[in-house]
Amino acid sequence: MKKVVLKLDLHDEKGKQKAMKSVSSLSGVESISMDMKDKKLTVIGDVDPIDVVSKLRKQGYTQILTVGPAKEEKKDGAKKDEGKKDEGKKDEGKKDDNKKKESDQIAELVKAYKAYNPHMTTYYRVLSAEENPNSCVIC
């Protein structure tokens, strides 16, 4: 989830509606809000800020002000603080597990590809122009 804040060059409600309609057509957008006083558009969701800007540049000047994580509401602040101390130790273990899982996945994919294509070469041979007498080199 990202929160993207953009400054737009809008003058009226019609421009605002066009901007909001073009941004809402992107996949991954969860919420859009517009502040006409400051001419700022806030987009929250799993979207690429570059895609948002490219959609809005067609309508006028667009500037990215901030890009960051969307703030989640804090329901039980005291409980989260206690949990963060324990999560630090758990996260270190999870990172190691994720690396192992990723390398295992890659190894599994290589095995599957070898089963599909048994003639797959696992080595490379580089030939230079000097080694091959039939090669053509223009000096």
Side-chain angles (χ1 to χ4, degrees):
M1 292 283 290
K2 291 183 183 177
K3 179 179 179 181
V4 183
V5 180
L6 306 161
K7 184 171 179 78
L8 304 176
D9 186 29
L10 299 175
H11 303 290
D12 56 353
E13 287 293 319
K14 187 175 182 182
K16 173 185 170 182
Q17 292 299 324
K18 283 184 179 181
M20 292 183 84
K21 184 175 182 180
S22 65
V23 172
S24 66
S25 67
L26 292 171
S27 63
V29 175
E30 289 195 9
S31 69
I32 304 169
S33 62
M34 182 75 185
D35 182 15
M36 284 300 286
K37 183 178 178 184
D38 296 332
K39 297 183 181 180
K40 291 182 182 179
L41 178 72
T42 304
V43 180
I44 298 175
D46 293 325
V47 292
D48 187 19
I50 305 301
D51 292 339
V52 176
V53 171
S54 65
K55 281 277 192 180
L56 293 171
R57 284 260 166 104
K58 295 174 184 175
Q59 297 172 5
Y61 178 75
T62 305
Q63 178 183 4
I64 298 176
L65 295 179
T66 60
V67 176
K71 294 181 181 178
E72 296 180 4
E73 296 178 12
K74 295 181 180 178
K75 295 182 180 178
D76 295 326
K79 291 182 181 177
K80 286 187 178 182
D81 291 338
E82 292 173 2
K84 286 182 182 178
K85 294 177 186 175
D86 297 334
E87 286 178 10
K89 295 177 185 175
K90 292 178 184 176
D91 288 341
E92 292 174 3
K94 287 181 182 179
K95 289 179 184 177
D96 294 337
D97 291 341
N98 288 340
K99 288 180 184 177
K100 290 178 184 176
K101 288 179 184 177
E102 186 175 317
S103 63
D104 291 340
Q105 288 176 349
I106 292 171
E108 188 177 314
L109 287 173
V110 170
K111 288 179 185 176
Y113 188 73
K114 282 184 179 179
Y116 177 73
N117 185 7
H119 303 290
M120 183 178 94
T121 59
T122 56
Y123 59 91
Y124 297 99
R125 184 172 177 212
V126 179
L127 293 175
S128 67
E130 291 85 23
E131 294 175 359
N132 189 355
N134 296 326
S135 67
C136 179
V137 177
I138 300 172
C139 297

